[in-house]
Amino acid sequence: MESIGLAEQLAAAERGAAAPYVDYPPTPWWYAPSVGVWAAAMIGTFTWWRENAGLFVASLAALIAVEILFVVWMRRRHGALPMPGRGTPPVEIARMWRGYVAALPVVALIVGLVWWLVGVPAAAGTAFVLVTAGLAFYERRYAVAAAATRARLR
């Protein structure tokens, strides 16, 4: 019977722990623009805030329902892949998650500033651009981080 050394056991355990973060299906091309459209629509609903409360609430409810369906689809597609902020990812992925979380208030501040200075439609357009570009950038960088993790754990 062959004995496996402690270092090999630790490496195998680390590879197993990293697997949900680095082994995943490729993101569809429409992912970032779809989330950008959703964010823009969420902000755009505020054009009805004071004009038509029923339309405002119905729009918010519809957008929240779309978000719930999207999250359910993502969880089914990715299996056990933890969402950002959950679990203990490899160091390369943790770095990506910290950058993602740090960017969120910056995007919110920019969109809020545009909303305040220019108005809701401009803020919705700004949200679309920032969210779409930000997610596309994040997805590319995540793929690089996942590849680096896989290479380190070989």
Side-chain angles (χ1 to χ4, degrees):
M1 182 168 167
E2 186 177 318
S3 171
I4 298 176
L6 182 59
E8 291 174 22
Q9 290 177 4
L10 289 173
E14 189 174 9
R15 278 192 300 276
Y21 300 92
V22 299
D23 297 328
Y24 55 90
T27 303
W29 67 267
W30 49 263
Y31 170 72
S34 296
V35 176
V37 165
W38 182 88
M42 185 62 90
I43 291 166
T45 62
F46 282 88
T47 57
W48 298 304
W49 175 256
R50 292 189 177 107
E51 306 297 321
N52 186 331
L55 188 55
F56 173 71
V57 171
S59 296
L60 284 180
L63 287 167
I64 290 169
V66 166
E67 179 180 12
I68 290 168
L69 291 172
F70 183 75
V71 170
V72 167
W73 173 80
M74 284 289 283
R75 286 195 174 266
R76 285 185 182 157
R77 183 172 190 272
H78 286 264
L81 180 67
M83 301 301 268
R86 301 187 139 221
T88 305
V91 294
E92 298 87 349
I93 303 300
R95 189 176 310 121
M96 292 305 307
W97 283 7
R98 284 192 301 274
Y100 181 87
V101 170
L104 291 177
V106 174
V107 169
L109 181 65
I110 293 169
V111 170
L113 189 60
V114 169
W115 186 334
W116 181 50
L117 294 174
V118 184
V120 172
T126 301
F128 171 75
V129 170
L130 292 178
V131 169
T132 301
L135 275 177
F137 177 77
Y138 173 80
E139 287 291 326
R140 281 192 305 276
R141 298 300 304 152
Y142 191 100
V144 169
T149 301
R150 285 190 296 273
R152 177 176 59 82
L153 296 177
R154 281 191 188 137

